Structure formats: C-alpha cells, structure tokens
Amino acid sequence: ASDTDEAHAYDVECSGVGYCNEDGQCECREGVFEGPACEKLACPTSLDGTICSGHGQCVTSGWAASHWDGRNLLRPHVEYPHWDAEKISGCLCDRGFSGFNCSRVDCPRGDVPETRGQKNEIVRLECGASKGTFTLTYKGSITEPIPYD
C-alpha cells in the first residue's frame, strides 16, 4: 500500500496473479483467482475442483453482509459498500458442513449429559398482534407460520 485507498499498482497485467496468454486472455492462478483480469478471489474448492465441495454456496462479502440466515450469517441489516465487496468470495456452508471449503462434516453437538444441577430453560414469548401470523427462528431453523392467537 502506498496511500489511503491505493493498495495496488494501477496497471498490472492479470493483477499480478496470472499470466497473459497468446490470445490476450488472462489465465489466473487456478483455484485462487478469477475474473477477466484475475481481479477476484475465487471460492475455495475441494481437491477435485468442486466449488465449496458441493456442500455450500459461493457468496461475495458484499452479499454475505446484506443477508441473514440466523445460523452462519448472524448480523442482520449490515451493508458492506467497500471496493472489495464483490471481489472477495467465500463459502456459505450447508447445514451439517463447515470449514473454509465446506468439506468438514459436522459432528453432533449438545450439552454434556454429566453436567449436574441443570434445569430446562423456559422461554416465554408474548405476541402483541391483533391479526396474522408470525414465525420463530433458532439457529437457522424457522417454524411454520403461527397464528397470533
């Protein structure tokens, strides 16, 4: 970086992470960068080249900031308007998978049964509506619509 908002030299062939072939097209470092000028960080793949190992969705940081699923993306109503919002991609893993490329199968999780002195948690919800339905979301699971009364 040489100055604020000036992290890279302006006119670098294939963004310095690929080479220009005889047809004038960039050939990017495979599996790492993509785009006509190799200007985008590609989504991680499995060893056979499958994006997100076939167990997730490739999303940009800009997309991830503006979406919420209550499980992986936990901060609703966030904006990421910066220059790299559509330049950096990552995997949003399906339920049951994790890791940078969604290749890790999640093991079951839960409380240690030997813990003593526990009580079941009770959550009380009060609905102040006069008509319609509502849903509840917990760890990415959403209920069917529940009538207000």
Side-chain angles (χ1 to χ4, degrees), residues 59-127:
V59 300
T60 64
S61 54
W63 185 93
S66 65
H67 288 75
W68 177 76
D69 68 1
R71 187 172 61 88
N72 292 322
L73 306 173
L74 300 175
R75 301 215 40 173
H77 314 296
V78 175
E79 291 184 18
Y80 188 77
H82 306 291
W83 68 270
D84 60 346
E86 302 305 313
K87 304 275 187 202
I88 299 174
S89 298
C91 293
L92 179 63
C93 299
D94 297 335
R95 185 177 298 283
F97 294 90
S98 60
F100 76 100
N101 66 355
C102 303
S103 64
R104 185 176 168 273
V105 178
D106 288 341
C107 290
R109 297 174 183 260
D111 190 19
V112 178
E114 291 87 13
T115 305
R116 297 176 186 256
Q118 295 191 75
K119 296 179 181 175
N120 289 333
E121 183 175 332
I122 297 172
V123 177
R124 179 180 171 161
L125 302 171
E126 291 186 30
C127 181

